[in-house]
PDB file of all heavy atoms in Angstrom:
ATOM      1  N   LEU A 386      -6.916 -21.633  16.458  1.00 96.00           N
ATOM      2  CA  LEU A 386      -7.804 -20.896  15.622  1.00 96.00           C
ATOM      3  C   LEU A 386      -9.016 -20.282  16.258  1.00 96.00           C
ATOM      4  O   LEU A 386      -9.472 -19.241  15.807  1.00 96.00           O
ATOM      5  CB  LEU A 386      -8.192 -21.840  14.431  1.00 96.00           C
ATOM      6  CG  LEU A 386      -7.135 -22.311  13.469  1.00 96.00           C
ATOM      7  CD1 LEU A 386      -7.771 -23.338  12.459  1.00 96.00           C
ATOM      8  CD2 LEU A 386      -6.601 -21.167  12.666  1.00 96.00           C
ATOM      9  N   SER A 387      -9.395 -20.835  17.407  1.00 97.00           N
ATOM     10  CA  SER A 387     -10.516 -20.241  18.165  1.00 97.00           C
ATOM     11  C   SER A 387     -10.210 -18.898  18.639  1.00 97.00           C
ATOM     12  O   SER A 387     -11.105 -18.190  19.030  1.00 97.00           O
ATOM     13  CB  SER A 387     -10.895 -21.135  19.268  1.00 97.00           C
ATOM     14  OG  SER A 387      -9.838 -21.225  20.256  1.00 97.00           O
ATOM     15  N   ALA A 388      -8.971 -18.422  18.591  1.00 97.00           N
ATOM     16  CA  ALA A 388      -8.509 -17.087  19.117  1.00 97.00           C
ATOM     17  C   ALA A 388      -9.048 -16.096  18.151  1.00 97.00           C
ATOM     18  O   ALA A 388      -9.272 -14.870  18.524  1.00 97.00           O
ATOM     19  CB  ALA A 388      -7.033 -17.032  19.254  1.00 97.00           C
ATOM     20  N   TYR A 389      -9.204 -16.364  16.899  1.00 95.00           N
ATOM     21  CA  TYR A 389      -9.596 -15.368  15.944  1.00 95.00           C
ATOM     22  C   TYR A 389     -11.136 -15.080  16.073  1.00 95.00           C
ATOM     23  O   TYR A 389     -11.955 -15.966  16.373  1.00 95.00           O
ATOM     24  CB  TYR A 389      -9.321 -15.869  14.588  1.00 95.00           C
ATOM     25  CG  TYR A 389      -7.854 -15.890  14.299  1.00 95.00           C
ATOM     26  CD1 TYR A 389      -7.166 -17.093  14.342  1.00 95.00           C
ATOM     27  CD2 TYR A 389      -7.114 -14.737  13.945  1.00 95.00           C
ATOM     28  CE1 TYR A 389      -5.702 -17.059  14.134  1.00 95.00           C
ATOM     29  CE2 TYR A 389      -5.786 -14.766  13.683  1.00 95.00           C
ATOM     30  CZ  TYR A 389      -5.047 -15.915  13.789  1.00 95.00           C
ATOM     31  OH  TYR A 389      -3.739 -15.973  13.547  1.00 95.00           O
ATOM     32  N   PRO A 390     -11.545 -13.828  16.005  1.00 90.00           N
ATOM     33  CA  PRO A 390     -12.916 -13.391  16.359  1.00 90.00           C
ATOM     34  C   PRO A 390     -14.099 -13.880  15.470  1.00 90.00           C
ATOM     35  O   PRO A 390     -15.214 -13.721  15.915  1.00 90.00           O
ATOM     36  CB  PRO A 390     -12.754 -11.892  16.501  1.00 90.00           C
ATOM     37  CG  PRO A 390     -11.654 -11.617  15.419  1.00 90.00           C
ATOM     38  CD  PRO A 390     -10.655 -12.746  15.550  1.00 90.00           C
ATOM     39  N   ASN A 391     -13.807 -14.361  14.251  1.00 87.00           N
ATOM     40  CA  ASN A 391     -14.903 -14.677  13.421  1.00 87.00           C
ATOM     41  C   ASN A 391     -14.487 -15.797  12.491  1.00 87.00           C
ATOM     42  O   ASN A 391     -13.218 -16.092  12.323  1.00 87.00           O
ATOM     43  CB  ASN A 391     -15.484 -13.502  12.627  1.00 87.00           C
ATOM     44  CG  ASN A 391     -14.413 -12.883  11.712  1.00 87.00           C
ATOM     45  OD1 ASN A 391     -13.829 -13.428  10.893  1.00 87.00           O
ATOM     46  ND2 ASN A 391     -14.085 -11.595  12.023  1.00 87.00           N
ATOM     47  N   ALA A 392     -15.490 -16.453  11.899  1.00 88.00           N
ATOM     48  CA  ALA A 392     -15.193 -17.698  10.986  1.00 88.00           C
ATOM     49  C   ALA A 392     -14.407 -17.227   9.772  1.00 88.00           C
ATOM     50  O   ALA A 392     -13.564 -17.992   9.303  1.00 88.00           O
ATOM     51  CB  ALA A 392     -16.522 -18.300  10.506  1.00 88.00           C
ATOM     52  N   VAL A 393     -14.569 -16.062   9.246  1.00 88.00           N
ATOM     53  CA  VAL A 393     -13.801 -15.666   8.089  1.00 88.00           C
ATOM     54  C   VAL A 393     -12.347 -15.607   8.451  1.00 88.00           C
ATOM     55  O   VAL A 393     -11.429 -15.977   7.752  1.00 88.00           O
ATOM     56  CB  VAL A 393     -14.311 -14.308   7.473  1.00 88.00           C
ATOM     57  CG1 VAL A 393     -13.285 -13.750   6.456  1.00 88.00           C
ATOM     58  CG2 VAL A 393     -15.639 -14.417   6.904  1.00 88.00           C
ATOM     59  N   GLN A 394     -12.107 -14.886   9.591  1.00 90.00           N
ATOM     60  CA  GLN A 394     -10.614 -14.694   9.943  1.00 90.00           C
ATOM     61  C   GLN A 394      -9.965 -16.137  10.303  1.00 90.00           C
ATOM     62  O   GLN A 394      -8.790 -16.395  10.031  1.00 90.00           O
ATOM     63  CB  GLN A 394     -10.660 -13.839  11.175  1.00 90.00           C
ATOM     64  CG  GLN A 394      -9.097 -13.376  11.562  1.00 90.00           C
ATOM     65  CD  GLN A 394      -8.643 -12.349  10.626  1.00 90.00           C
ATOM     66  OE1 GLN A 394      -9.301 -11.871   9.693  1.00 90.00           O
ATOM     67  NE2 GLN A 394      -7.414 -11.915  10.799  1.00 90.00           N
ATOM     68  N   ARG A 395     -10.796 -17.059  10.833  1.00 91.00           N
ATOM     69  CA  ARG A 395     -10.286 -18.355  11.128  1.00 91.00           C
ATOM     70  C   ARG A 395     -10.021 -19.114   9.881  1.00 91.00           C
ATOM     71  O   ARG A 395      -8.894 -19.864   9.846  1.00 91.00           O
ATOM     72  CB  ARG A 395     -11.215 -19.099  12.029  1.00 91.00           C
ATOM     73  CG  ARG A 395     -11.396 -18.636  13.472  1.00 91.00           C
ATOM     74  CD  ARG A 395     -12.192 -19.597  14.330  1.00 91.00           C
ATOM     75  NE  ARG A 395     -13.628 -19.573  14.115  1.00 91.00           N
ATOM     76  CZ  ARG A 395     -14.452 -18.627  14.643  1.00 91.00           C
ATOM     77  NH1 ARG A 395     -13.987 -17.770  15.519  1.00 91.00           N
ATOM     78  NH2 ARG A 395     -15.661 -18.584  14.361  1.00 91.00           N
ATOM     79  N   THR A 396     -10.846 -18.968   8.828  1.00 86.00           N
ATOM     80  CA  THR A 396     -10.517 -19.587   7.562  1.00 86.00           C
ATOM     81  C   THR A 396      -9.282 -19.064   6.967  1.00 86.00           C
ATOM     82  O   THR A 396      -8.476 -19.850   6.344  1.00 86.00           O
ATOM     83  CB  THR A 396     -11.767 -19.446   6.677  1.00 86.00           C
ATOM     84  OG1 THR A 396     -12.942 -20.073   7.187  1.00 86.00           O
ATOM     85  CG2 THR A 396     -11.473 -20.088   5.280  1.00 86.00           C
ATOM     86  N   ILE A 397      -9.031 -17.768   6.959  1.00 90.00           N
ATOM     87  CA  ILE A 397      -7.874 -17.160   6.324  1.00 90.00           C
ATOM     88  C   ILE A 397      -6.543 -17.649   7.160  1.00 90.00           C
ATOM     89  O   ILE A 397      -5.621 -17.962   6.516  1.00 90.00           O
ATOM     90  CB  ILE A 397      -8.057 -15.637   6.485  1.00 90.00           C
ATOM     91  CG1 ILE A 397      -9.140 -15.095   5.603  1.00 90.00           C
ATOM     92  CG2 ILE A 397      -6.692 -14.991   6.095  1.00 90.00           C
ATOM     93  CD1 ILE A 397      -9.532 -13.641   5.765  1.00 90.00           C
ATOM     94  N   ALA A 398      -6.727 -17.666   8.426  1.00 92.00           N
ATOM     95  CA  ALA A 398      -5.502 -18.008   9.185  1.00 92.00           C
ATOM     96  C   ALA A 398      -5.172 -19.523   9.015  1.00 92.00           C
ATOM     97  O   ALA A 398      -4.002 -19.829   8.779  1.00 92.00           O
ATOM     98  CB  ALA A 398      -5.787 -17.834  10.692  1.00 92.00           C
ATOM     99  N   LYS A 399      -6.207 -20.335   8.826  1.00 90.00           N
ATOM    100  CA  LYS A 399      -5.975 -21.760   8.582  1.00 90.00           C
ATOM    101  C   LYS A 399      -5.354 -21.989   7.273  1.00 90.00           C
ATOM    102  O   LYS A 399      -4.403 -22.801   7.193  1.00 90.00           O
ATOM    103  CB  LYS A 399      -7.244 -22.530   8.703  1.00 90.00           C
ATOM    104  CG  LYS A 399      -7.145 -24.096   8.660  1.00 90.00           C
ATOM    105  CD  LYS A 399      -8.494 -24.825   8.800  1.00 90.00           C
ATOM    106  CE  LYS A 399      -8.300 -26.238   8.876  1.00 90.00           C
ATOM    107  NZ  LYS A 399      -7.661 -26.883   7.702  1.00 90.00           N
ATOM    108  N   ALA A 400      -5.743 -21.308   6.267  1.00 86.00           N
ATOM    109  CA  ALA A 400      -5.120 -21.424   4.946  1.00 86.00           C
ATOM    110  C   ALA A 400      -3.673 -21.052   4.921  1.00 86.00           C
ATOM    111  O   ALA A 400      -2.828 -21.716   4.318  1.00 86.00           O
ATOM    112  CB  ALA A 400      -5.843 -20.533   3.947  1.00 86.00           C
ATOM    113  N   LEU A 401      -3.338 -20.065   5.683  1.00 89.00           N
ATOM    114  CA  LEU A 401      -1.956 -19.609   5.795  1.00 89.00           C
ATOM    115  C   LEU A 401      -1.060 -20.628   6.536  1.00 89.00           C
ATOM    116  O   LEU A 401       0.019 -21.039   6.026  1.00 89.00           O
ATOM    117  CB  LEU A 401      -1.877 -18.259   6.512  1.00 89.00           C
ATOM    118  CG  LEU A 401      -0.402 -17.709   6.625  1.00 89.00           C
ATOM    119  CD1 LEU A 401       0.151 -17.311   5.364  1.00 89.00           C
ATOM    120  CD2 LEU A 401      -0.430 -16.443   7.594  1.00 89.00           C
ATOM    121  N   VAL A 402      -1.575 -21.070   7.681  1.00 89.00           N
ATOM    122  CA  VAL A 402      -0.825 -22.040   8.391  1.00 89.00           C
ATOM    123  C   VAL A 402      -0.732 -23.422   7.708  1.00 89.00           C
ATOM    124  O   VAL A 402       0.309 -24.085   7.662  1.00 89.00           O
ATOM    125  CB  VAL A 402      -1.411 -22.210   9.864  1.00 89.00           C
ATOM    126  CG1 VAL A 402      -0.777 -23.422  10.637  1.00 89.00           C
ATOM    127  CG2 VAL A 402      -1.268 -21.017  10.632  1.00 89.00           C
ATOM    128  N   ASP A 403      -1.823 -23.838   7.124  1.00 87.00           N
ATOM    129  CA  ASP A 403      -1.852 -25.137   6.378  1.00 87.00           C
ATOM    130  C   ASP A 403      -0.955 -25.170   5.146  1.00 87.00           C
ATOM    131  O   ASP A 403      -0.588 -26.206   4.692  1.00 87.00           O
ATOM    132  CB  ASP A 403      -3.325 -25.511   5.945  1.00 87.00           C
ATOM    133  CG  ASP A 403      -4.165 -25.897   7.213  1.00 87.00           C
ATOM    134  OD1 ASP A 403      -3.559 -26.048   8.271  1.00 87.00           O
ATOM    135  OD2 ASP A 403      -5.360 -26.134   7.060  1.00 87.00           O
ATOM    136  N   SER A 404      -0.609 -23.932   4.678  1.00 84.00           N
ATOM    137  CA  SER A 404       0.276 -23.938   3.472  1.00 84.00           C
ATOM    138  C   SER A 404       1.634 -24.411   3.812  1.00 84.00           C
ATOM    139  O   SER A 404       2.401 -24.781   2.812  1.00 84.00           O
ATOM    140  CB  SER A 404       0.304 -22.539   2.881  1.00 84.00           C
ATOM    141  OG  SER A 404       1.061 -21.597   3.796  1.00 84.00           O
ATOM    142  N   GLY A 405       1.959 -24.562   5.063  1.00 80.00           N
ATOM    143  CA  GLY A 405       3.306 -25.100   5.443  1.00 80.00           C
ATOM    144  C   GLY A 405       4.470 -24.210   4.847  1.00 80.00           C
ATOM    145  O   GLY A 405       4.538 -23.076   5.036  1.00 80.00           O
ATOM    146  N   ASP A 406       5.384 -24.882   4.078  1.00 81.00           N
ATOM    147  CA  ASP A 406       6.414 -24.212   3.473  1.00 81.00           C
ATOM    148  C   ASP A 406       6.130 -23.968   1.973  1.00 81.00           C
ATOM    149  O   ASP A 406       6.992 -23.477   1.227  1.00 81.00           O
ATOM    150  CB  ASP A 406       7.666 -25.060   3.555  1.00 81.00           C
ATOM    151  CG  ASP A 406       8.202 -25.071   5.014  1.00 81.00           C
ATOM    152  OD1 ASP A 406       7.905 -24.153   5.699  1.00 81.00           O
ATOM    153  OD2 ASP A 406       8.849 -26.112   5.370  1.00 81.00           O
ATOM    154  N   SER A 407       4.919 -24.241   1.514  1.00 83.00           N
ATOM    155  CA  SER A 407       4.594 -24.000   0.149  1.00 83.00           C
ATOM    156  C   SER A 407       4.204 -22.526  -0.195  1.00 83.00           C
ATOM    157  O   SER A 407       4.098 -22.112  -1.367  1.00 83.00           O
ATOM    158  CB  SER A 407       3.477 -24.915  -0.337  1.00 83.00           C
ATOM    159  OG  SER A 407       2.234 -24.488   0.317  1.00 83.00           O
ATOM    160  N   PHE A 408       4.027 -21.737   0.835  1.00 90.00           N
ATOM    161  CA  PHE A 408       3.719 -20.327   0.616  1.00 90.00           C
ATOM    162  C   PHE A 408       4.855 -19.600   0.087  1.00 90.00           C
ATOM    163  O   PHE A 408       6.076 -20.048   0.153  1.00 90.00           O
ATOM    164  CB  PHE A 408       3.202 -19.667   1.950  1.00 90.00           C
ATOM    165  CG  PHE A 408       4.377 -19.286   2.814  1.00 90.00           C
ATOM    166  CD1 PHE A 408       4.895 -18.068   2.859  1.00 90.00           C
ATOM    167  CD2 PHE A 408       4.902 -20.244   3.724  1.00 90.00           C
ATOM    168  CE1 PHE A 408       5.986 -17.702   3.653  1.00 90.00           C
ATOM    169  CE2 PHE A 408       5.953 -19.915   4.578  1.00 90.00           C
ATOM    170  CZ  PHE A 408       6.469 -18.647   4.554  1.00 90.00           C
ATOM    171  N   ARG A 409       4.683 -18.431  -0.489  1.00 94.00           N
ATOM    172  CA  ARG A 409       5.816 -17.611  -0.892  1.00 94.00           C
ATOM    173  C   ARG A 409       5.604 -16.258  -0.414  1.00 94.00           C
ATOM    174  O   ARG A 409       4.515 -15.704  -0.505  1.00 94.00           O
ATOM    175  CB  ARG A 409       6.064 -17.635  -2.431  1.00 94.00           C
ATOM    176  CG  ARG A 409       6.757 -19.055  -2.830  1.00 94.00           C
ATOM    177  CD  ARG A 409       8.108 -19.207  -2.289  1.00 94.00           C
ATOM    178  NE  ARG A 409       8.763 -20.342  -2.752  1.00 94.00           N
ATOM    179  CZ  ARG A 409       8.796 -21.553  -2.093  1.00 94.00           C
ATOM    180  NH1 ARG A 409       8.022 -21.699  -1.122  1.00 94.00           N
ATOM    181  NH2 ARG A 409       9.544 -22.514  -2.607  1.00 94.00           N
ATOM    182  N   PHE A 410       6.677 -15.492  -0.063  1.00 93.00           N
ATOM    183  CA  PHE A 410       6.585 -14.086   0.353  1.00 93.00           C
ATOM    184  C   PHE A 410       6.416 -13.191  -0.972  1.00 93.00           C
ATOM    185  O   PHE A 410       6.905 -13.621  -1.931  1.00 93.00           O
ATOM    186  CB  PHE A 410       7.893 -13.718   1.107  1.00 93.00           C
ATOM    187  CG  PHE A 410       7.681 -12.608   2.052  1.00 93.00           C
ATOM    188  CD1 PHE A 410       7.347 -12.785   3.386  1.00 93.00           C
ATOM    189  CD2 PHE A 410       7.871 -11.225   1.638  1.00 93.00           C
ATOM    190  CE1 PHE A 410       7.120 -11.784   4.323  1.00 93.00           C
ATOM    191  CE2 PHE A 410       7.660 -10.212   2.539  1.00 93.00           C
ATOM    192  CZ  PHE A 410       7.314 -10.418   3.851  1.00 93.00           C
ATOM    193  N   ASP A 411       5.693 -12.154  -0.725  1.00 94.00           N
ATOM    194  CA  ASP A 411       5.364 -11.164  -1.727  1.00 94.00           C
ATOM    195  C   ASP A 411       6.660 -10.913  -2.607  1.00 94.00           C
ATOM    196  O   ASP A 411       7.636 -10.512  -2.056  1.00 94.00           O
ATOM    197  CB  ASP A 411       4.901  -9.918  -1.136  1.00 94.00           C
ATOM    198  CG  ASP A 411       4.554  -8.843  -2.130  1.00 94.00           C
ATOM    199  OD1 ASP A 411       5.387  -8.382  -2.834  1.00 94.00           O
ATOM    200  OD2 ASP A 411       3.375  -8.437  -2.174  1.00 94.00           O
ATOM    201  N   MET A 412       6.527 -11.222  -3.865  1.00 95.00           N
ATOM    202  CA  MET A 412       7.756 -11.122  -4.760  1.00 95.00           C
ATOM    203  C   MET A 412       8.254  -9.742  -4.882  1.00 95.00           C
ATOM    204  O   MET A 412       9.538  -9.452  -4.769  1.00 95.00           O
ATOM    205  CB  MET A 412       7.434 -11.732  -6.142  1.00 95.00           C
ATOM    206  CG  MET A 412       8.690 -11.730  -7.065  1.00 95.00           C
ATOM    207  SD  MET A 412       8.296 -12.108  -8.793  1.00 95.00           S
ATOM    208  CE  MET A 412       7.693 -13.791  -8.642  1.00 95.00           C
ATOM    209  N   SER A 413       7.343  -8.799  -5.097  1.00 92.00           N
ATOM    210  CA  SER A 413       7.762  -7.401  -5.288  1.00 92.00           C
ATOM    211  C   SER A 413       8.496  -6.823  -4.017  1.00 92.00           C
ATOM    212  O   SER A 413       9.403  -5.934  -4.118  1.00 92.00           O
ATOM    213  CB  SER A 413       6.598  -6.423  -5.608  1.00 92.00           C
ATOM    214  OG  SER A 413       5.720  -6.384  -4.659  1.00 92.00           O
ATOM    215  N   ASP A 414       8.195  -7.417  -2.897  1.00 86.00           N
ATOM    216  CA  ASP A 414       8.829  -7.000  -1.599  1.00 86.00           C
ATOM    217  C   ASP A 414      10.241  -7.653  -1.416  1.00 86.00           C
ATOM    218  O   ASP A 414      10.898  -7.316  -0.476  1.00 86.00           O
ATOM    219  CB  ASP A 414       8.034  -7.250  -0.398  1.00 86.00           C
ATOM    220  CG  ASP A 414       6.860  -6.287  -0.246  1.00 86.00           C
ATOM    221  OD1 ASP A 414       7.014  -5.093  -0.750  1.00 86.00           O
ATOM    222  OD2 ASP A 414       5.793  -6.635   0.294  1.00 86.00           O
TER     223      ASP A 414
END
Side-chain angles (χ1 to χ4, degrees):
L386 291 175
S387 65
Y389 292 97
N391 57 62
V393 170
Q394 193 73 5
R395 287 191 286 274
T396 298
I397 293 170
K399 186 176 187 301
L401 180 67
V402 172
D403 286 353
S404 68
D406 291 334
S407 66
F408 79 94
R409 285 298 183 270
F410 206 89
D411 182 296
M412 185 187 295
S413 63
D414 283 335

